[in-house]
Amino acid sequence: MKFLWTTIHVKDMEESLKFYQDVVGLKLVNRFNAGPEMEICFLGEDDTKLELICSEKFKNIQAGNAVTLGFNVNSLDEMISLVNEKGIGIKTGPVQPNPNLKYFIVLDPNGVKIQFAEQSGKE
């Protein structure tokens, strides 16, 4: 079995696309209407795929704190500079739980926890 994608129901498609393209660096690969008052966007390539769904039916959803999406970055310091430049507050970190991993967490526009991690060597 192969993992396909993660789906997030979003409150504002434009705001969410801006975050996932400009901050996370995912490429928009498909955008379409899926019925009345529903739009779907797919972002990412290879094994990193994200589906965003914006629908009037789901405007009052609340992102839980039980899920975190983790993204690998080459430089944690550069990523911290980028999120600061974009005015995004850091929720947790930076943290270094072992010599090979450093990370920090921000919230996307919908309250989903996004972890940016720099890995070195083996874990």
Side-chain angles (χ1 to χ4, degrees):
M1 188 177 309
K2 181 178 178 181
F3 186 77
L4 294 176
W5 58 74
T6 298
T7 300
I8 301 174
H9 290 271
V10 302
K11 298 172 188 172
D12 182 310
M13 185 62 82
E14 296 308 320
E15 182 180 35
S16 296
L17 280 174
K18 184 173 176 65
F19 177 84
Y20 284 101
Q21 289 178 296
D22 295 352
V23 177
V24 178
L26 297 178
K27 177 183 171 189
L28 178 64
V29 294
N30 198 1
R31 184 175 189 170
F32 58 93
N33 288 322
E37 300 180 348
M38 180 182 282
E39 184 177 22
I40 297 176
C41 291
F42 280 92
L43 297 100
E45 300 172 288
D46 302 319
D47 290 334
T48 303
K49 293 188 179 96
L50 184 64
E51 176 187 33
L52 303 179
I53 298 176
C54 188
S55 171
E56 290 300 317
K57 295 179 188 177
F58 305 117
K59 287 293 183 181
N60 295 322
I61 58 167
Q62 296 296 319
N65 64 359
V67 175
T68 301
L69 303 181
F71 293 94
N72 185 54
V73 297
N74 292 328
S75 168
L76 203 67
D77 292 335
E78 288 178 13
M79 197 66 205
I80 289 170
S81 293
L82 176 65
V83 299
N84 286 335
E85 181 181 299
K86 300 283 185 187
I88 299 167
I90 294 176
K91 180 173 176 59
T92 304
V95 175
Q96 187 166 2
N98 67 57
N100 301 314
L101 177 67
K102 296 186 293 187
Y103 71 87
F104 70 95
I105 295 173
V106 300
L107 298 179
D108 86 346
N110 307 287
V112 176
K113 291 188 296 185
I114 305 299
Q115 181 182 48
F116 295 110
E118 179 183 326
Q119 299 173 308
S120 61
K122 295 182 180 179
E123 300 190 38

